[in-house]
Amino acid sequence: MSDDNQRDQSTPAEPAAQAPAPAVPAGPEPEAIRFFGTTWVNHDRGYALRRVGVAIGSLAGAVSAAYLLRFAYEGLEIGNVGPFLSISVVVLFAIASSIAFAKTWESFSRRPAPSSDEAALKGLKAIGFIGSLIAYFLRALFEAPGEKLRRAEYERAKTEFERRRSSRTGNPAARRPKRKK
């Protein structure tokens, strides 16, 4: 038999099984945090180990980056570029690191405004990445970086959801129409 005949003799495809309807969420979903997911909500599923891992990882990254910058500075010294350029490089990295630290630390407690200058500071934060790593290290000692902000938003969303759910009573179709004044 040819392939065409076999296709004709085959049984018709069964109708596709209907996918179950997605479950209606029982409330607002918590926002995931990098490296933590949603474990910050109940501090479960290895939350403490993740905090330790983030703290150690960010500290190790900051130390290794400092050694990398030290080797770059020694390269400038070997290249005999002069004291002005050597000092300028050190000052540039110090300022960039302090700005990156401040902006990263600030991002843990509030969201940036949509029209803020965060996009313009990306390059500066990339240069001062040691400051960002130190901010992650210090924040991970106390909580997941950004947990306080997300917890406040999540609690606010939960109370708003409960307030809206509790105001619904009865069948809305059975209500009397409002009187016109």
Side-chain angles (χ1 to χ4, degrees):
M1 276 190 207
S2 69
D3 289 334
D4 293 330
N5 290 340
Q6 287 179 349
R7 285 188 197 133
D8 293 338
Q9 294 174 357
S10 64
T11 59
E14 295 180 21
Q18 292 184 1
V24 177
E29 295 292 322
E31 184 179 350
I33 297 177
R34 182 184 300 154
F35 305 122
F36 293 91
T38 57
T39 61
W40 60 269
V41 177
N42 297 322
H43 293 184
D44 58 351
R45 297 179 294 160
Y47 170 81
L49 289 175
R50 291 175 193 230
R51 268 190 40 210
V52 169
V54 166
I56 290 172
S58 60
L59 184 62
V63 168
S64 62
Y67 274 116
L68 181 68
L69 289 178
R70 178 177 173 228
F71 292 140
Y73 180 78
E74 287 177 0
L76 289 174
E77 289 297 316
I78 291 171
N80 226 3
V81 294
F84 177 74
L85 186 60
S86 297
I87 292 172
S88 297
V89 167
V90 170
V91 169
L92 169 76
F93 276 104
I95 291 172
S97 291
S98 64
I99 291 172
F101 176 88
K103 289 297 182 180
T104 303
W105 191 265
E106 182 181 294
S107 73
F108 296 146
S109 59
R110 68 180 175 92
R111 297 211 185 253
S115 63
S116 70
D117 58 348
E118 289 295 317
L121 290 176
K122 280 186 178 181
L124 190 63
K125 286 173 75 173
I127 292 170
F129 63 98
I130 293 176
S132 292
L133 290 171
I134 292 172
Y136 261 88
F137 168 71
L138 292 175
R139 183 59 90 167
L141 293 177
F142 303 106
E143 66 179 5
E147 178 181 350
K148 185 177 182 181
L149 171 67
R150 287 181 179 76
R151 187 171 300 282
E153 291 173 348
Y154 178 61
E155 294 297 327
R156 192 174 322 115
K158 276 183 16 182
T159 57
E160 180 69 21
F161 179 79
E162 289 301 319
R163 186 185 63 77
R164 285 184 304 193
R165 294 287 288 174
S166 65
S167 65
R168 297 181 192 170
T169 57
N171 183 357
R175 292 185 186 157
R176 293 184 193 170
K178 292 184 180 181
R179 290 190 202 180
K180 293 182 180 177
K181 293 182 181 183

